[in-house]
Amino acid sequence: MKIITLFAILVVLMMGVVYGVMFATGEEKADMNGQIVGICLADSQNENNTQNSILVEGLITGNSKAYNLTVKINKDTGIFKKNGNKRDNATFNDLKTGDKVMVMFTGPFVESYPPQTTAKEIVIVPS
């Protein structure tokens, strides 16, 4: 019985180490890899455009077809620049047309043309 208990504790510890390494290195898989083809600034005069957004053309994870997707950016969206193995903080103003980006989504998709969703995180990838 002691061997089974020790084995169970060892398995739990190993799972914790693996999770900790993944969390510490920030290796979250992107929902979309693509390129910014447009930038839309929020307009306080237009109730239909209250958030900054970018138009991204690229591949959504699990698909082989390229898509255009409007990605809304809110106050909770993390924006970063990849710098080797590190990620430096960035802002909306650092996003430029032509930048390669990795995008992690949050929330549902709005079925429009192009489809829309909100970004949890955007990482600018050096070319």
Side-chain angles (χ1 to χ4, degrees), residues 93-111:
N93 294 329
D94 293 316
L95 299 170
K96 307 286 184 242
T97 301
D99 282 350
K100 293 186 188 315
V101 291
M102 298 184 319
V103 182
M104 282 62 81
F105 308 138
T106 182
F109 278 76
V110 175
E111 292 187 28

Side-chain angles (χ1 to χ4, degrees), residues 67-108:
Y67 289 91
N68 285 335
L69 184 67
T70 298
V71 179
K72 295 180 184 178
I73 299 168
N74 62 26
K75 62 178 178 54
D76 298 323
T77 302
I79 303 175
F80 304 95
K81 282 184 183 178
K82 190 166 183 159
N83 184 6
N85 290 334
K86 294 183 349 178
R87 297 187 323 172
D88 298 328
N89 288 327
T91 67
F92 180 79
N93 294 329
D94 293 316
L95 299 170
K96 307 286 184 242
T97 301
D99 282 350
K100 293 186 188 315
V101 291
M102 298 184 319
V103 182
M104 282 62 81
F105 308 138
T106 182

Side-chain angles (χ1 to χ4, degrees), residues 10-11 34-35 44 50 55 62 85 93 99 109 113 115 121:
L10 181 62
V11 168
Q35 184 173 1
S44 60
T50 59
L55 179 63
N85 290 334
N93 294 329
D99 282 350
F109 278 76
Y113 186 77
E121 190 172 285

